[in-house]
Amino acid sequence: MRIGVFVCHCGSNIAGTVDCHAIAERAAELKDVVYTEDVMYTCSEPGQAGIQRAIKEKGLTRVVVASCSPQMHEVTFRRCVEDAGLNPHLFEMANIREHCSWIHDDMPRATEKAYDIIKMAVAKVRTAEPLFPNEVDVNKDVLVIGGGVAGIQTALDLADAGLQVTIVERESTIGGTMARLDKTFPTIDCSACILTPRMVDAAHHQNIAIMAYSEVDRVQGYVGNFVVDIKRRAAMVDWTRCIGCELCVQKCPAHAPDRFNVGLAESKAIYIPFPQAVPKRAVIQTEYCRWFQQGKCRVCSRVCPADAIDYEQKDTYIQRNFGAIVVATGMDVFPWEEYYPQYGGGSIPDVISGLQYERMLNASGPTGGHVHRISNHEEPKNVVFIQCVGSRDESVGRPYCSSVCCMYTAKQAILTRNHCGPETNIFVFYIDIRATGKGYEEFIKRAQTEFNVNYVRGRVSKLYEEHGKVMVRGMDTLLGQQVEIPADLVVLATGTTSAEGAPQLAQALNISYDEFGFFKESHPKLRPVETNTAGVFLAGACQAPKDIPTSVAQASGTASKVLGLLSKDKLKTSPQIAVVDQSRCVSCWKCTDVCPFSAPEKQSQRDGSQKSHIIETVCQGCGICVATCPVNCISLKGFTTDSIIDQIEEALLA
Amino acid sequence: MTAQTETRTRPVKVIAIVCNWCSYAGADGAGTARLKQPYNFRVLRVPCTGRIDPLLALKAFQKGADGVLISGCHPGDCHYSEGNYYARRKFELLDRMLPHLGVESQRFKYTWVSASEAARWQSVITEFVGHVQELGPREGRAL
Amino acid sequence: MSSTQDAIREAAKNALASGRVDYFIGWTQGHTPSEAIPAFIRRPEEVDRLIWSPLCHHNLVTFLKRKMPDPPESRIGVCVKGCDSRTLVALLQEGLVDRERLYVVGIPCAGVIDKRLVDALFTDEVTEIDFEGDLVTARTRMGESKEFALADVLLDQCGGCYSPNPRYADELVGDTLPESQGKPQFPGLEEFEALDSAAKDALLAEAFSTCIRCFACINVCPVCYCWDQCVNRSRRPALVGQKVDTKENTLFQMVHMFHVAGRCPSCGACDRACPVQIPLYLLHRKMNKELYEMLGFMAGMDVDEKPVFQTFRIDDVLGE
């Protein structure tokens, strides 16, 4: 074994505190070390060439570079030694910059410490073994979970690039939250006019399959080879026959709350959320259906011209294979009624959520686009908007900014002016205005000036009914006085919250989520659409509250990451994984208990016994099994127990 | 100075075993921010706290460590999603048992430092090494 | 007592005669009537060799641990006391014994005696111990005889026994004892706990310095089953040095202790097996006390439970 040690000055970053020349000379005394050198910048082109030259000329078989953090340059140097003919895993880094020179200033002591760190790295590289990555075939099909605008965008981008995409959507139609919006800020263009053509594009795209009214049930496998069980919920309507004619909806005698219109109207037990639904297929909501509840009716079955009604339908499960998964499950509206008793908790009819108002403003909505009070259907004279309901409010456990409410409130205020005319007074209670997007600040200004919307800085402390009005009591913090406004209609700028069931989905996908249920990206700046589970990506508001432009931009970014991944026919897997010495395995199966990835399997032996075997391509290299195996017959390549003990011994050796 | 007082006052040796994804990166961040730390600890990098067998900590004490620190991702943030949950149980037991194995409780600590908590790393390691230094070098006979 | 003994013999006879088991593990008299030893009974006519008395301290589950059933396909009858049953449950939790191959005769147990306590009452070798209700009569080879209360010579762990009745059995013989109320007791630790770290270190160093690495504690332990592959024997990885010195001996014992954590119910078999009288009960029992305080966990209580270190709860309240 011939080890070379290269000590980097990193200019003065290391050499300013550590005597690099002295420790390079001392390192030559270590067992198996045959060559040492101190170098100004090891990572530079001449620095790397020097390492490669030494490997060839001095016949080095292992290399230690003492420089910065392995998180900075391990990849660089592994490639460097590999190019010189060494296995990249016969290389070790000693971090004498972040963990030494930068945190100390006394040169003798820092030098002593740096030398210890080098000793530990030499001890580790001495036990190193050449490692080789595995290659696995890649399935190029992509699963997109969620058919909102982000999911649709990712799917279209991927499908246009030639990949087969399946969109799994929980509702009976794709479209997501955007389908329920009236207009979009800051352009006031019609939401449906932008979205519905994209929905149709997705439906007609030969590379896209839409599985609506379906949910991801279980995810197994790993990047390039996911196996996903999808549950297709029973619609009680045979969708291969249904033509979306809505005859059943017209004739259905049973009423049900209209979820699409957020309770502002009633729908029928048999249901198509909106006329532009994609796919446009009916679903029986069995909890409201007379046949399911009372055992009589069957009107829909009689009127259906396509003979599509199937009261016996059951949930079905199908299994599909995918190479990558994009999570685009969007968000929900904050359930303000549960958290804001001071705003009536939902008991005051003329206090409505932002999304309800969105439906009211919509020409194809329940009021035909007519703004009126819920209580008496009169046109409101005083409309009050209250911002940050369920956002930036730690008292309701939502410290974050929902990022869209300032803008949609301004939009709704402008639309109110358009709908109700100049006589109506419009007030907006706000904490701060957040208008950071392109054209956003100008949009707010227009609302204030051109559309005469009164912005009042302050929180509303209480809403209560008096003489047929909703009294809005709050503080104008700029004037420093209490204000009270008798409102006809109060619209709450309800914040966004993570989609229902998000934590459960995260657990199925083995991705992280934050305390609010939003999914965690791999790195907030450098890997914003990846998750820490290879092959699982994020798009849209499931990661954090986002507006439409940001969601769409991120969705396309996600698509490009997926394309990058799936542009290869084979994927290299990390060789730093666990391996079982089957001759020592006692078949206690603790490894199978603890592995988060189901990597250990029972492998039959010639003598009929079973021993643990770790599936190379499934193992993620965490080493939980290694620490659990009582006989220590599982070793983690690159982090063996002996290498850890050797490092401990070196560190403690005087 | 007698030989005995010399042993008592020599700088202690602390082994810090940290996970690659959170605490090692947190310590890197502390370095990048030039946050000053004690000299007498040595960092050992492993993929996950779930990789660390409590027996390795005992081995470190046996080999002469005066203190052992284990640090990983905060619960819920494990890169492998579950490793630190297993580690938490194991190291809690070790933490409770060590005083009964003749190792003062302040010589062992397990904690969580995320990749973004450079300042927390600095305070964790500084306090820990400080406590160990107060106790002085170990002269255990059993471990 | 004799009725329980009769019931064991009856159960063994039926199991053997019906072909339900190939052999039956119980207890029989040792060299003298002062001791009981494990017995493997293979024919119905042999069952009269089986005995039941407070001398029957051996945990017979030891003979069921992995690779021990010989031949491997054999069907086995076995007697378990309350504490023994918890070690069986621990094996069942891990799926390491096949319950279809077992016929478990459970015996509610009011306590077994600590022979060491009896021996200490005499200068001569005790060769005969009789039980009459709560009274014990012991006689020595030289004919010296003493009577004393059973409670005075019980194993200390039997006093506040938390599980006198088997947690798992196919057939229960004898009368069920009142289940323990309230929190489990971990007796005999107070003195040790009160010591400071230095004193504990000294005590353990003293105790472990005499360890001869005979593996008796490990081999007798019903939930320690790695045999040849025990990491205490392993050279790669070299976690434990093979030199018999105090520090390596400590680590040797730590391997056992941490490997049975969550599966050890403090049956005390290791302690009784140790030929150099290392107080092994001390650390094991202390560990179990800590586990109970930590997670409310006790090993081997429920077949459907997972051993505590092979699972976790996201909301475990531990650490900072």
Side-chain angles (χ1 to χ4, degrees), chain A residues 127 129 507 513 581 583-590 593-594 610-611 628-633 641-642 645, chain C residues 66-67 94-96 225-227 229-231 234-239 255 259 263 306-307 309-311 314:
Chain A
T127 65
E129 288 172 11
Q507 282 154 16
Y513 55 98
D581 174 358
S583 69
R584 295 193 57 232
C585 173
V586 295
S587 317
C588 68
W589 310 120
K590 290 182 180 60
D593 274 348
V594 298
Q610 287 192 312
K611 303 279 185 184
T628 308
C629 174
V631 301
N632 267 252
C633 76
T641 300
D642 280 338
I645 293 172
Chain C
R66 287 188 64 74
K67 307 264 163 75
E94 294 198 283
L96 297 181
Y225 41 66
C226 297
W227 300 113
Q229 310 308 338
C230 175
V231 78
S234 159
R235 302 309 309 128
R236 191 186 167 90
L239 189 67
V255 165
H259 281 183
R263 302 181 296 120
K306 272 247 176 260
F309 292 108
Q310 277 141 263
T311 183
I314 287 176

Side-chain angles (χ1 to χ4, degrees), chain A residues 37-326:
Chain A
E37 189 186 336
D38 54 308
V39 186
M40 184 52 80
Y41 288 106
T42 7
C43 62
S44 68
E45 209 274 318
Q48 293 194 44
I51 295 172
Q52 294 178 329
R53 199 165 48 241
I55 291 172
K56 289 184 180 123
E57 290 175 4
K58 310 290 174 188
L60 303 181
T61 56
R62 271 140 219 253
V63 170
V64 169
V65 170
S67 58
C68 51
S69 169
Q71 310 222 341
M72 182 73 114
H73 274 316
E74 191 172 61
V75 174
T76 313
F77 291 119
R78 283 204 199 286
R79 200 183 301 131
C80 164
V81 302
E82 188 172 24
D83 288 346
L86 279 192
N87 183 284
H89 294 275
L90 299 177
F91 164 82
E92 195 55 44
M93 263 182 109
N95 183 351
I96 60 170
R97 193 179 73 173
E98 282 85 344
H99 288 193
C100 187
S101 71
W102 275 354
I103 59 170
H104 300 311
D105 27 45
D106 179 49
M107 190 171 239
R109 284 196 281 173
T111 303
E112 205 52 42
K113 179 167 182 173
Y115 185 61
D116 267 5
I117 296 172
I118 292 174
K119 281 196 308 177
M120 291 167 72
V122 170
K124 189 175 177 203
V125 87
R126 209 181 274 131
T127 65
E129 288 172 11
L131 304 180
F132 303 93
N134 265 292
E135 283 199 332
V136 289
D137 289 331
V138 175
N139 181 315
K140 301 212 174 189
D141 295 352
V142 183
L143 169 66
V144 174
I145 307 174
V149 67
I152 292 171
Q153 182 69 32
T154 308
L156 285 170
D157 286 354
L158 293 170
D160 285 345
L163 299 184
Q164 296 293 324
V165 183
T166 300
I167 300 176
V168 169
E169 166 59 51
R170 180 159 63 183
E171 301 297 330
S172 65
T173 171
I174 59 171
T177 307
M178 188 175 167
R180 298 152 94 176
L181 305 183
D182 177 39
K183 302 282 194 296
T184 60
F185 57 79
T187 45
I188 318 265
D189 46 356
C190 155
S191 183
C193 311
I194 316 172
L195 181 68
T196 48
R198 304 294 277 165
M199 291 163 61
V200 174
D201 287 350
H204 289 169
H205 205 296
Q206 57 177 5
N207 290 343
I208 296 179
I210 297 173
M211 292 184 64
Y213 217 53
S214 299
E215 288 172 26
V216 168
D217 186 54
R218 189 167 71 144
V219 180
Q220 298 165 278
Y222 47 92
V223 56
N225 294 279
F226 291 106
V227 181
V228 182
D229 292 324
I230 300 166
K231 176 170 97 172
R232 187 161 229 157
R233 294 157 64 195
M236 306 305 166
V237 176
D238 181 350
W239 281 15
T240 60
R241 290 167 176 248
C242 175
I243 51 171
C245 65
E246 296 191 63
L247 214 56
C248 54
V249 181
Q250 288 160 19
K251 300 290 181 198
C252 175
H255 293 266
D258 184 349
R259 282 182 300 130
F260 187 77
N261 283 311
V262 213
L264 283 188
E266 278 198 324
S267 68
K268 299 292 186 57
I270 193 160
Y271 184 60
I272 294 177
F274 57 105
Q276 300 85 6
V278 171
K280 194 176 180 186
R281 298 286 182 266
V283 168
I284 296 180
Q285 307 177 85
T286 53
E287 64 271 39
Y288 303 106
C289 171
R290 289 192 184 174
W291 171 250
F292 282 95
Q293 296 305 319
Q294 295 158 20
K296 51 190 167 208
C297 182
R298 297 180 78 112
V299 167
C300 49
S301 172
R302 283 201 298 277
V303 300
C304 179
D307 194 19
I309 307 297
D310 176 5
Y311 298 112
E312 305 299 319
Q313 206 173 55
K314 296 274 180 295
D315 292 348
T316 51
Y317 291 82
I318 63 160
Q319 196 172 69
R320 289 272 166 83
N321 299 323
F322 299 99
I325 298 174
V326 176

Side-chain angles (χ1 to χ4, degrees), chain C residues 87-115:
Chain C
T87 62
L88 176 60
V89 167
L91 292 175
L92 288 168
Q93 284 173 344
E94 294 198 283
L96 297 181
V97 288
D98 181 356
R99 62 166 108 179
E100 299 304 314
R101 296 195 178 282
L102 294 182
Y103 189 71
V104 180
V105 175
I107 306 162
C109 167
V112 293
I113 69 163
D114 187 343
K115 181 80 181 317

Side-chain angles (χ1 to χ4, degrees), chain C residues 76-133:
Chain C
I76 307 168
V78 66
C79 294
V80 295
K81 306 184 290 292
C83 53
D84 306 343
S85 75
R86 286 173 59 188
T87 62
L88 176 60
V89 167
L91 292 175
L92 288 168
Q93 284 173 344
E94 294 198 283
L96 297 181
V97 288
D98 181 356
R99 62 166 108 179
E100 299 304 314
R101 296 195 178 282
L102 294 182
Y103 189 71
V104 180
V105 175
I107 306 162
C109 167
V112 293
I113 69 163
D114 187 343
K115 181 80 181 317
R116 295 167 295 192
L117 295 178
V118 179
D119 288 340
L121 297 171
F122 297 91
T123 49
D124 187 13
E125 186 192 350
V126 176
T127 53
E128 201 180 331
I129 301 179
D130 286 327
F131 300 92
E132 190 68 52

